[in-house]
Structure formats: structure tokens, C-alpha cells
Coordinates of all heavy atoms in Angstrom, one line a residue:
A19 N 6.1 9.3 -30.7 CA 5.8 8.7 -32.0 C 7.1 8.7 -32.8 O 7.4 7.8 -33.5 CB 4.7 9.6 -32.8
Y20 N 7.8 9.7 -32.7 CA 9.2 9.8 -33.5 C 10.2 8.6 -32.9 O 10.9 8.1 -33.5 CB 9.8 11.2 -33.2 CG 11.1 11.3 -34.0 CD1 11.2 11.5 -35.2 CD2 12.3 11.4 -33.2 CE1 12.4 11.7 -36.0 CE2 13.5 11.6 -33.8 CZ 13.6 11.7 -35.1 OH 14.8 11.8 -35.8
A21 N 10.2 8.6 -31.5 CA 11.0 7.6 -30.9 C 10.8 6.2 -31.4 O 11.7 5.4 -31.7 CB 10.9 7.7 -29.3
R22 N 9.4 5.9 -31.4 CA 9.1 4.5 -31.8 C 9.4 4.3 -33.3 O 9.8 3.3 -33.7 CB 7.6 4.4 -31.7 CG 7.1 4.4 -30.3 CD 7.6 3.3 -29.5 NE 7.1 3.2 -28.1 CZ 7.4 2.4 -27.1 NH1 8.2 1.4 -27.4 NH2 7.0 2.4 -25.9
A23 N 9.4 5.3 -34.1 CA 9.7 5.2 -35.6 C 11.2 5.2 -35.8 O 11.6 4.4 -36.8 CB 9.2 6.4 -36.4
T24 N 12.0 5.7 -35.0 CA 13.5 5.8 -35.2 C 14.2 4.7 -34.4 O 15.3 4.2 -34.8 CB 14.2 7.0 -34.8 OG1 13.7 7.3 -33.4 CG2 13.5 8.2 -35.8
G25 N 13.5 4.3 -33.2 CA 14.2 3.2 -32.4 C 15.1 4.0 -31.5 O 15.9 3.2 -30.7
Y26 N 15.1 5.2 -31.4 CA 16.0 6.0 -30.4 C 15.0 6.6 -29.3 O 14.2 7.4 -29.6 CB 16.7 7.1 -31.1 CG 17.6 6.7 -32.2 CD1 17.6 7.7 -33.3 CD2 18.2 5.6 -32.4 CE1 18.5 7.3 -34.4 CE2 19.0 5.2 -33.5 CZ 19.1 6.0 -34.5 OH 19.9 5.8 -35.5
P27 N 15.3 6.2 -28.1 CA 14.4 6.8 -27.0 C 14.6 8.3 -26.9 O 15.6 8.8 -27.2 CB 15.0 6.1 -25.7 CG 16.4 5.7 -26.0 CD 16.3 5.3 -27.5
V28 N 13.5 9.0 -26.5 CA 13.5 10.5 -26.4 C 14.2 10.7 -25.0 O 14.3 10.1 -24.1 CB 12.0 10.9 -26.1 CG1 12.1 12.5 -26.0 CG2 11.2 10.6 -27.3
Q29 N 15.1 11.8 -25.1 CA 15.8 12.3 -24.0 C 14.9 13.5 -23.5 O 15.0 14.6 -24.0 CB 17.2 12.7 -24.3 CG 18.0 11.5 -24.9 CD 19.4 12.0 -25.4 OE1 20.0 12.9 -24.8 NE2 20.0 11.4 -26.4
Y30 N 14.1 13.2 -22.4 CA 13.4 14.3 -21.8 C 14.3 15.2 -20.9 O 14.9 14.7 -19.9 CB 12.2 13.8 -21.1 CG 11.2 13.1 -22.0 CD1 11.0 11.8 -22.1 CD2 10.4 13.9 -22.7 CE1 10.2 11.2 -22.9 CE2 9.4 13.4 -23.6 CZ 9.3 12.0 -23.7 OH 8.4 11.4 -24.6
Q31 N 14.5 16.5 -21.2 CA 15.3 17.4 -20.5 C 14.5 18.0 -19.4 O 13.5 18.7 -19.7 CB 16.0 18.4 -21.4 CG 16.8 17.7 -22.6 CD 17.9 16.9 -22.2 OE1 17.8 15.7 -22.1 NE2 18.9 17.6 -21.8
W32 N 15.0 18.0 -18.1 CA 14.3 18.7 -17.0 C 15.4 19.4 -16.2 O 16.1 18.8 -15.4 CB 13.6 17.5 -16.1 CG 12.6 18.0 -15.1 CD1 13.0 18.6 -14.1 CD2 11.3 18.0 -15.2 NE1 11.8 19.0 -13.3 CE2 10.8 18.6 -13.9 CE3 10.3 17.4 -16.1 CZ2 9.4 18.6 -13.6 CZ3 9.0 17.4 -15.8 CH2 8.5 18.0 -14.6
T33 N 15.3 20.7 -16.4 CA 16.3 21.5 -15.5 C 15.7 21.7 -14.1 O 14.5 22.2 -14.1 CB 16.4 23.0 -16.2 OG1 17.0 22.8 -17.5 CG2 17.3 23.8 -15.2
L34 N 16.3 21.3 -13.1 CA 15.7 21.3 -11.8 C 16.0 22.7 -11.2 O 17.1 23.3 -11.0 CB 16.4 20.3 -10.9 CG 15.9 18.8 -11.1 CD1 16.9 17.9 -10.3 CD2 14.5 18.6 -10.5
L35 N 14.9 23.3 -10.8 CA 14.8 24.7 -10.4 C 14.3 24.5 -8.9 O 13.1 24.1 -8.8 CB 14.0 25.6 -11.2 CG 14.3 25.7 -12.6 CD1 13.2 26.4 -13.4 CD2 15.7 26.4 -12.8
D36 N 15.1 24.9 -8.0 CA 14.8 24.7 -6.5 C 13.4 25.4 -6.1 O 13.3 26.6 -6.4 CB 16.0 25.2 -5.7 CG 15.7 24.9 -4.2 OD1 15.3 23.7 -3.9 OD2 16.1 25.6 -3.3
G37 N 12.5 24.7 -5.6 CA 11.2 25.3 -5.2 C 10.3 25.6 -6.3 O 9.2 26.1 -6.1
V38 N 10.6 25.3 -7.7 CA 9.8 25.6 -8.8 C 9.2 24.3 -9.4 O 8.0 24.2 -9.5 CB 10.6 26.4 -9.8 CG1 9.7 26.7 -11.1 CG2 11.0 27.7 -9.3
N39 N 10.0 23.4 -9.8 CA 9.6 22.2 -10.6 C 10.2 21.0 -9.8 O 10.5 19.9 -10.7 CB 10.0 22.3 -12.0 CG 11.5 22.3 -12.2 OD1 12.3 22.4 -11.2 ND2 11.8 22.2 -13.5
D40 N 10.5 20.9 -8.6 CA 11.1 19.8 -8.0 C 10.3 19.3 -6.8 O 10.7 18.7 -6.0 CB 12.5 20.1 -7.5 CG 12.5 21.3 -6.5 OD1 11.5 21.9 -6.2 OD2 13.6 21.5 -6.0
G41 N 9.0 19.6 -6.8 CA 8.1 19.2 -5.7 C 7.4 17.8 -5.9 O 7.5 17.2 -7.0
D42 N 6.7 17.4 -4.8 CA 6.0 16.1 -4.9 C 5.0 16.0 -6.1 O 4.7 15.0 -6.7 CB 5.3 15.8 -3.7 CG 6.3 15.5 -2.5 OD1 7.4 15.2 -2.8 OD2 5.9 15.5 -1.3
D43 N 4.3 17.1 -6.3 CA 3.4 17.3 -7.3 C 4.0 17.0 -8.7 O 3.3 16.3 -9.6 CB 2.6 18.6 -7.4 CG 3.5 19.8 -7.5 OD1 4.8 19.7 -7.1 OD2 3.1 21.0 -7.6
E44 N 5.1 17.6 -9.0 CA 5.8 17.3 -10.3 C 6.2 15.9 -10.4 O 6.2 15.3 -11.4 CB 7.0 18.2 -10.4 CG 6.6 19.7 -10.6 CD 6.3 19.9 -12.2 OE1 5.7 19.0 -12.8 OE2 6.4 21.2 -12.6
I45 N 6.8 15.2 -9.3 CA 7.2 13.9 -9.3 C 6.0 13.0 -9.6 O 6.1 12.1 -10.6 CB 7.7 13.4 -8.0 CG1 9.0 14.1 -7.7 CG2 8.0 12.0 -8.0 CD1 9.5 13.9 -6.4
D46 N 4.8 13.2 -9.2 CA 3.5 12.5 -9.5 C 3.2 12.7 -10.9 O 2.8 11.8 -11.6 CB 2.5 12.9 -8.5 CG 2.6 12.5 -7.2 OD1 3.6 11.6 -6.9 OD2 1.9 13.1 -6.2
G47 N 3.4 13.9 -11.3 CA 3.0 14.3 -12.7 C 3.9 13.7 -13.7 O 3.5 13.2 -14.9
I48 N 5.3 13.5 -13.4 CA 6.1 12.8 -14.2 C 5.8 11.3 -14.4 O 5.8 10.8 -15.6 CB 7.6 13.0 -13.7 CG1 8.1 14.4 -14.0 CG2 8.5 11.9 -14.5 CD1 9.4 14.7 -13.2

């Protein structure tokens, strides 16, 4: 909602942690 109001795309930050949030399930979720 904020991005659409300002015209600036959101920068989603994702710190890649090996074996924690870099699996196929997270890719599908993204």
C-alpha cells in the first residue's frame, strides 16, 4: 500500500542463512 502511494517499489530484505531460509519451500513461498 505504501509503495503504490509513493511510487517507490518496496525493497524486501532477505538475509540468506544457510539451511534456514534458503530451501525450496521458501522459494515457493516467495
Side-chain angles (χ1 to χ4, degrees):
Y20 180 74
R22 296 292 180 182
T24 59
Y26 306 145
V28 181
Q29 300 175 32
Y30 292 102
Q31 307 295 99
W32 190 288
T33 299
L34 280 171
L35 305 168
D36 191 37
V38 177
N39 63 352
D40 58 353
D42 292 343
D43 53 347
E44 288 282 27
I45 294 174
D46 293 340
I48 290 170

